[in-house]
Amino acid sequence: MSCSGETVEVNDLIQIRPKIIQQLKKAKYGVADHSTVELCHWTKKSFKNEGDCYKHKFYGISTHRCMEFSPAGMFCENRCVYCWRPMEFYDSLKMEPDKVAEPREIVTKLMEERKKLIVGHYGDPRQDRQKLDESLLPSHYAISLSGEPTMYPKLPELIKYLKSLSQTKSIFLVTNGQEPEMIQRLQDEDALPTQIYLSTNAGDYDSFMQINRPRYKDSWERWNKSLDLLSRLDTRTVIRITLIRDYNNGDDMIPAFASMINRANAHFIEVKSYMHIGRSRNRLERDNMLSMDEVRHFATELVKQSGIFSGMDESEISRIVILQNKKRFIDRWITAYAQTN
Ligand code: SF4
């Protein structure tokens, strides 16, 4: 058994440390080896017919049949100031291919963990039982939750496995852009998700270092490589800009963001406010959140200065505005099932 940071190796397989698992379980996570799963806040609201998430509103994904998970639960190369997850536990070490669980094993074990999280809802009369039944068979996968999924060396196989499941309609992958080689591998191995998100939160090198607090020496170069890759990917692409007051929301930042989104030529731009939730409350203030009008202002200026995007929709409760690429146009609604047989 060897150890580092908050993970250990048991029988040559990376595991999250028992004391961390305890804390994650308290936070209603499911854990299997180095992977994590959770019932998203919005999925739980949807069970009670109290609303769906903005991805349902913008793209039509099924909020109550969403499985939010990560194959790299406690691994990340960055320590972003606005991260709501337990990043203080993160490990930055490389996940060696011979030390990680196989995709089928991860999905099978996490589905079991997720079922345990869902079953508890049946006892509550406010819950929509039909939705609970349907949620046991996910149709949408959000590969994000905690850690950086592109650190998992078998990610192409994992996405292909999810695509082979009959109920799979859509797969979203969120990346911090620190592993451009993995993004290229997803393209080369025909394992791209339905939609790939590049987290974008800095218009220049200095604010990138201040906001992301990266571990890699060439982190800025890696992120820019991922940005340019987006323009060549054969799938739906999204740049998600998280705005933090007094960090990156000044009008002086807009020209740099406008040139970045044009370089990536992404299909959609999500402009959203930082949200004062989870562990981020130890690092930032509520005042670091933007109002919806401030988010609208930033998005409107971005439209003016980029010239290829137009406003598509917004969600006030999530403090987000979405822009659509008029030049690299794609239908907003995800209709086709993701399977590859
Ligand atoms: S898509 Fe994202 S926000 Fe919507 S239910 Fe899934 S994890 Fe939650």
Side-chain angles (χ1 to χ4, degrees), residues 151-336:
M151 291 184 78
Y152 173 60
K154 300 185 179 183
L155 187 60
E157 296 91 332
L158 174 64
I159 290 175
K160 282 183 183 171
Y161 175 66
L162 293 175
K163 285 183 174 181
S164 75
L165 302 176
S166 63
Q167 295 297 316
T168 302
K169 181 172 179 189
S170 47
I171 302 165
F172 285 7
L173 172 70
V174 179
T175 178
N176 62 15
Q178 289 300 297
E179 310 291 343
E181 282 74 28
M182 175 53 83
I183 299 174
Q184 187 62 54
R185 265 190 66 198
L186 294 175
Q187 171 110 314
D188 298 345
E189 298 177 26
D190 190 21
L192 285 165
T194 314
Q195 189 154 300
I196 187 166
Y197 280 79
L198 177 62
S199 300
T200 300
N201 48 45
D204 57 33
Y205 175 80
D206 292 342
S207 47
F208 182 89
M209 298 309 282
Q210 185 201 17
I211 294 169
N212 296 280
R213 306 184 298 179
R215 292 301 191 259
Y216 285 140
K217 293 211 171 13
D218 58 345
S219 55
W220 177 240
E221 291 73 20
R222 285 166 176 261
W223 184 84
N224 277 281
K225 227 175 168 184
S226 296
L227 182 77
D228 292 326
L229 261 174
L230 249 63
S231 62
R232 301 192 293 276
L233 292 183
D234 184 17
T235 190
R236 300 162 65 98
T237 54
V238 182
I239 293 256
R240 181 157 60 197
I241 300 174
T242 301
L243 295 174
I244 314 163
R245 187 188 310 288
D246 303 332
Y247 279 75
N248 61 2
N249 70 308
D251 280 7
D252 59 330
M253 282 283 185
I254 295 175
F257 278 114
S259 86
M260 282 174 169
I261 62 174
N262 285 9
R263 251 172 74 194
N265 198 19
H267 296 95
F268 304 101
I269 309 298
E270 293 182 3
V271 183
K272 77 187 300 298
S273 169
Y274 151 68
M275 301 302 259
H276 195 60
I277 55 171
R279 302 245 171 176
S280 77
R281 292 170 295 177
N282 306 335
R283 295 174 235 112
L284 293 172
E285 305 303 324
R286 178 166 286 283
D287 277 355
N288 289 114
M289 287 171 70
L290 272 65
S291 69
M292 189 58 193
D293 283 340
E294 290 172 302
V295 173
R296 288 188 186 109
H297 165 75
F298 197 96
T300 307
E301 286 305 310
L302 211 47
V303 164
K304 284 186 202 149
Q305 297 187 28
S306 86
I308 63 170
F309 289 93
S310 59
M312 183 182 97
D313 203 342
E314 65 173 43
S315 163
E316 182 125 9
I317 192 169
S318 298
R319 301 192 189 198
I320 184 168
V321 170
I322 183 169
L323 312 178
Q324 186 163 32
N325 192 327
K326 296 176 289 183
K327 211 176 78 185
R328 192 182 177 196
F329 183 84
I330 194 169
D331 188 341
R332 62 186 283 179
W333 306 114
I334 296 170
T335 49

Side-chain angles (χ1 to χ4, degrees), residues 40 43 53 55 61 63 66 68 140 142:
C40 166
T43 299
C53 68
K55 286 124 189 181
I61 68 99
T63 300
C66 168
E68 184 187 23
H140 175 70

